[in-house]
Amino acid sequence: MSLSRMLENWSRLNQKDYYKDEPIMWGMSIDLNKCTGCASCVTACNAENNIPAVGKEKCGSGHTMSWMRIERYWDSPEGEPDLAVEESEYPERGAHFAPMMCQQCNHAPCEPVCPVAATYHNPDGLNAQVYNRCIGSRYCGTNCPFKVRYFNFFDYQEDIPHPMEMLLNPDLTVRSKGVMEKCTFCVQRLRNAKGDQADKGIRGHVEDGAVQTACQQSCPTDAIVFGNLKDGESKVSHAWESHGVELNRHEQFNAEGERGYRVFEELNVEPSVMYLDRVRDTNA
Amino acid sequence: MSQKNLNDELSRRTFLKAMGLTSAGSALLLTGCGDTDIVNQVDLEVRKELVLPAVDPEDFVRPGREVHYASTCRQCPANCNIHAKTREGRVIKIEGNPASSTNLGKLCAMGQAGLQGHYNPDRINKPMIRKGGKLVEATWAEAETLLKKHLGKKNAKLAWLSGAISGHQAVITKAYMDAAGSKNSFVFDTLPPAVGLAANEKVLGHAMPKYDFDKAKLIVSFGADFLGTWISPVQFGTQYGQFRNAPRGTLVQIESKMTLTGSNADRWIAIKPGTEGHLALALASLIAADSSFKGKTPANLNVDIKEASAITGVSIERMHKLRDMLISQSPSLVLSGNSAEGFVHGTETANAIHLLNMMLGNIGETILPRAKPTFPELQPQLGGWADLKAFIDGLADGSFDTAVVYGSNPLYQAPSFMKAEEAFAKAKMRIAFSTYPDETTMACDLVLPVHSYLEEWNTSMPAYAAEDGHLNIHQPVMNPVFGKGSTYSYGDIMLGLVSELDATFKNWDNYGAYIRDSLATMKPALVNPPKATTAGQTDEEGFQQGILASGFVTIKEAAASPIKAKVPAVRLPKLAEDDGKYAYHLVPSARMGLYDGRHANSPWLQELPDQLTSVMWGSWVEIHPNTAKKLGLITGDKVKVSSAAGSLEVDVVVFPGIQEDSIAIPLGNGHTEYGRYAKGVGVNPFKILTPQFDEETGELATHATKVSITKIANRGEVVTRAHGDLVLASEAMSQKGREIVKSVSAEDFNHNEGEG
C-alpha cells in the first residue's frame, strides 16, 4: 500500500458521508450504570476467541492476551466534584469500571501506520486484522490510544496441554508467534449471521438481535448492547440516538440528560463504542 | 455397545434417541439427546484430528454446524441453566439458557470457564488405589471390587461428605445411606451462608425466601456480595440490572472489605468487623424513635447511639442519614451476608437485620414466601461448616471407619486447628469420587474418577430458585473426554452400589434411565409437561425430548402462604478488648473467579484480574493506605500474617477499600495439590482461621480471626493487569482527569430517563 493510497483513503474516511452507502456498521453501547465489573465478559471473550492464559511470569512482563479488560479507577474525572466523596479515608462511592476492548475506530490510528496493511477497515465498519499479513512490527499497538492490541510474543497455542486444546473454537484461527491481535466484535459470529441471511437471499441486512457478541451474551446486567448502527430500528442505534452520540464528530453536544460519550473523543478517532455515564445517588 | 465386562452394571447404557427441534435462528439446533454415542472427531490418544468423510455424519453431528444442548452449570451451587455449544462432537462454548428463570440466558466468569474444568489436563482419568502408602493407577475392575468390598455392605460407621447437593443425586445418595444403615451423611460447602439461612428458617420459616431486588427502592446490604459470590450471583445480577433502571434504586453496602457489590454501591460504608449487628440495632432504635413507627417496634429497643458509633466506627451523622433513607425509600431490602455473619454472634447479627426488615415492612414486599416443596427430597442442601466439623470429629474419635467424599475438598478448606488430615488418616478406608487430584482425593485409598458435569445425566435444583419448583436437567453434551470406560458418572456408580443393597434399584441399568423414569413418573406433577410435537411421536417420546430441549422442568407447587416473621430478642455481646498481640481482623474474602478454591485449576480464572485490585495469579493481602503507612509497607512488600492458629507469607497490596483495622486475604489459592495451575500458587487463608464458632448454629466464625503483620522482605511478586504496561501502570488508580469513566447523579438520571 503506497503512501499516496493510504492518504487517499484517510481523506475519504474523513468525508462526512463516508458511511452513507454501506448497509452495515457494527456498533456497541456499554452502560456504566449497569456494568458491575464482574468480568463475565472477559472470560466469555477468552472462551469464544481462543485466547490463551499465558501464566504469571509472562503476565508480569505485560504479555497478557485477554482482548477485553475491565479498567478500574478509584477517582472521578475532573469536573465532577459532587460525585466524588466528601473527605474520606475510603472510596465511598465505589469504583469506576469500564470494560475496554478495541473501539473499532473509524479513523483508526492503528491503520495508517501498518507497513503491510495488515490492519484495515472493512466495509462493515470493523477495524480488521489480517493475521497472515502481519509481520509483527507492533506500530499499530504503539499508536493505539486505548492500548487494546495484544502481541503474540510466543506460540502460546502450541503449549496447550492435552486435552485442553479441544475447547478451541474452530470458527476462528489460533494466532502464532509474531502476530498482533485484538477484539474483532466476534467477527466469526457476524459472518455466520450474514451468511445465514445470505442463505435466505437477504444481503446487507442482519435482523437486530440475530447476532450477539460473546461479551454481550454473557453480561448478567445487560450492560452491553450490540448491533447495526445503520439500522435505524436496532437497539444500539436507538441507544446512540437517545444518548446524543453521533458518528463523524470529534465533540458530542449532549443535550441535557443524554449520557453518551466515547472515550478519548477529542482524538477524533471515531470509535464505534459508546459508553453511558456511570450513575451514583449523591443523596445516599 | 454394551461390553459384557466386569463393570457391566456401570457401563451398560440404553440410548434414547430423541432428536430436538430446530429453534428460532437456523444456526441454533437445540437437541434433546446428548447421550454418549456422539462421535468424537478427534482422536484423543494421538491428539490428531481424524479425517472423516462428512458424507454420512453420525446423529447429532453436523459438520461445520454448531449443535446446542441444554444442560446445567455446576461451577457453584447456584446451578444456572446452560446451552452448551458443540461442534463436531466436542463442547466449545457455554452460554446461559435464555428460557431459564435462574439466569435468563446469562452466565458468570466461573460458568464461562467451565470448559477448562471439563478439558482440564489434570483431570483424573483412571481409578487409583493406595498400595504400600502410594496411590497407583488401577483398572476399573480392581477399583470396583474394592468399592464393593467396602461399600457393598451395611455399615453404621460409614461417613459420607458431599458438596452442596440436590435433585436426584441427593435422592440416590440418601437411598444408599439408608440401605447401608448409616446416619452419617454430611454436606459441606464453604460459601453458602449457613448462618444466615438458619436464621431465615427460624425467623421467616423459609431458609431461602424470595428476594425482589427490583421492587426495592433501597438495598442496604451488610456484607452480602450478591453480585459476586452470594448464593446466586447471576440471578441477582440480572435483578440488579433491573433495579438500576429509572427510577433507579439506591444501594448502600456496609462491610469491612469492599466486595464487588460494595464497589457498585452508591455509598460504601466501612465498618469495624463484627459490629454489623450493633449498627443494625442502632438503626432499628433510631427508626423506632420516629413517630410513624409507634406500635410497630419491639419494646426495649434503646441503643446508645454515641456508643454504637464508637463500636462500629460509623459516624452518628451517617446513621441518621441511613435512618432517613430507610424510612423514606420504602420498600427497601436489608440483607446480611457472610462477612456480617461470620462471627461468634453471627446469628444475632442476622436477627438484628431481620428486625430492620420487619420494622420497615419489607417482609411480604421485597422478601417473599415460598411454597412448601412438593418433593422435599429434591431440594438443595447447601451444607456448612458444622457438618464438616461433625465429619472430622467423628473420624477423629473413631465413630466412623469409612469415609467417602464427593464434590468437596475438606482437606484444603478445613482450618489447621481442625486437624482434618490427622482425623482423615484415622479412617480405615477413604474413598473419593473425584474429577481432579485435589488435596482430599490424594489422601484417599480409593479414587474413582467421575464424569465432569458436561458428561453426565443428572437433575439438580438451584440454590436460589427464582420460580418455585424449578428442577434443572443435566444431560451429557458430549462423549466423555477421556473415552468410554475411563470415567463414570457419580450417579451410575451410586446406582450400582445401591442396587447391591436395595433390589428396587435393579430396575434401572443406568442412571440416565433412572432419571428419565423418575421424570416420567413426576410428569403429572409438572407445569405444562411437553407433549408430542411431530407426527408419529408418542407422548412419552415428546415429553422426554421436550424436557431435554428445555433443560429444566417446573414442578407444580401449592400457593405460598404469607410469611409470619418472628424475630427473637437480639443479644449482642460486648466485643473483646484488643489484646495487642493480634491487632488486625482477617477477612478471608471470596471473589467471583476462584470462589472458595475450586476454580484454582482454571488458568483463565487464575489470570482473570481481581475485580478490585486487578492482581492476577497468586495471593496477596489487602491493607488500607493508612495502615500501610503506619506499618511502613508499600505494594509488593512481603509480610508474615500470623494468627493464633498459624501464619502465612504473602505480598502486600495497598488498597483503599478496606477498613483500617482489617486486612483481607482472598480465598482460592495455596493448594498443595490440584494440578499444575493451582499447586504451589499463593496461600490459603482458611488454614490460619482460629477456632471460634457461631453460638447458635455451631458454624465456623470465618471472619472472627485476628492476626498480626510483620514485614519480612521488600520484594514480592504481585502481578497486576497493568503490569509491564507503563501507560496502564501509571494510571492504574487514577483517571488523572481524563474522562474514561464519567458519572452523573441519580437525580439527573431519574429526571431524564424515568418513565414519562
Side-chain angles (χ1 to χ4, degrees), chain A residues 46-254:
Chain A
N46 288 351
E48 173 71 20
N49 291 304
N50 296 340
I51 296 170
V54 301
K56 183 173 181 174
E57 196 190 323
K58 292 189 176 112
C59 286
S61 312
H63 294 177
T64 317
M65 297 305 292
S66 297
W67 290 354
M68 197 154 189
R69 63 170 184 260
I70 307 285
E71 298 199 345
R72 185 268 302 117
Y73 300 99
W74 290 115
D75 65 339
S76 295
E78 280 164 25
E80 293 175 352
D82 56 327
L83 291 167
V85 178
E86 324 73 73
E87 289 287 295
S88 172
E89 309 294 338
Y90 303 108
E92 294 193 16
R93 294 272 181 234
H96 297 64
F97 293 112
M100 184 58 66
M101 63 285 149
C102 176
Q103 306 284 300
Q104 311 291 350
C105 306
N106 288 308
H107 301 173
C110 54
E111 287 169 14
V113 295
C114 180
V116 291
T119 179
Y120 75 108
H121 223 71
N122 88 358
D124 293 351
L126 296 181
N127 171 249
Q129 178 79 14
V130 184
Y131 298 129
N132 56 4
R133 220 186 266 166
C134 176
I135 56 166
S137 74
R138 292 153 60 200
Y139 282 167
C140 55
T142 313
N143 226 26
C144 172
F146 305 96
K147 293 285 162 272
V148 288
R149 291 180 152 265
Y150 301 95
F151 186 66
N152 285 277
F153 284 92
F154 299 92
D155 270 324
Y156 300 106
Q157 309 291 356
E158 297 276 300
D159 301 330
I160 303 178
H162 178 67
M164 218 185 254
E165 81 287 351
M166 285 171 75
L167 59 75
L168 293 176
N169 184 354
D171 283 340
L172 73 161
T173 176
V174 295
R175 283 75 63 182
S176 48
K177 185 160 90 178
V179 167
M180 191 61 95
E181 63 182 68
K182 59 158 200 81
C183 165
T184 63
F185 271 177
C186 290
V187 69
Q188 64 282 5
R189 292 186 176 202
L190 307 182
R191 290 193 69 94
N192 277 343
K194 283 173 77 177
D196 287 342
Q197 292 294 91
D199 288 349
K200 293 183 208 153
I202 306 165
R203 287 186 193 279
H205 176 76
V206 174
E207 210 175 310
D208 195 38
V211 58
Q212 289 180 297
T213 60
C215 50
Q216 172 195 22
Q217 188 167 10
S218 204
C219 177
T221 59
D222 275 327
I224 302 177
V225 176
F226 173 83
N228 180 6
L229 285 174
K230 301 301 285 288
D231 175 359
E233 298 304 304
S234 73
K235 271 191 188 163
V236 70
S237 56
H238 276 303
W240 278 55
E241 200 181 342
S242 59
H243 288 288
V245 175
E246 272 178 54
L247 286 169
N248 231 322
R249 303 188 87 119
H250 64 277
E251 195 181 354
Q252 304 294 340
F253 301 99
N254 288 12

Side-chain angles (χ1 to χ4, degrees), chain B residues 429-460:
Chain B
M429 186 67 193
R430 294 152 295 180
I431 300 169
F433 292 86
S434 185
T435 325
Y436 310 111
D438 61 32
E439 287 78 356
T440 311
T441 302
M442 298 316 277
C444 283
D445 302 301
L446 171 61
V447 177
L448 301 163
V450 291
H451 281 345
S452 83
Y453 70 99
L454 295 169
E455 295 167 339
E456 67 176 12
W457 288 102
N458 216 346
T459 66
S460 69

Side-chain angles (χ1 to χ4, degrees), chain B residues 168-183:
Chain B
H168 284 89
Q169 270 194 344
V171 172
I172 202 160
T173 308
K174 183 172 185 303
Y176 170 76
M177 290 302 274
D178 290 347
S182 166
K183 292 192 168 60

Side-chain angles (χ1 to χ4, degrees), chain A residues 40 72 166 171 259 281, chain B residues 87 90 107 250 612 753:
Chain A
S40 170
R72 185 268 302 117
M166 285 171 75
D171 283 340
R259 291 191 289 137
D281 185 350
Chain B
R87 274 285 295 273
R90 60 197 168 95
L107 217 53
T250 308
L612 298 182
E753 293 180 39

Side-chain angles (χ1 to χ4, degrees), chain B residues 14 64 196 224 312 532 548 568 673:
Chain B
T14 53
T312 57
L548 292 179
E673 295 284 349

Side-chain angles (χ1 to χ4, degrees), chain B residues 548-567:
Chain B
L548 292 179
S550 83
F552 58 89
V553 293
T554 310
I555 300 164
K556 284 181 199 157
E557 308 275 2
S561 44
I563 297 178
K564 291 197 192 84
K566 276 188 297 227
V567 183

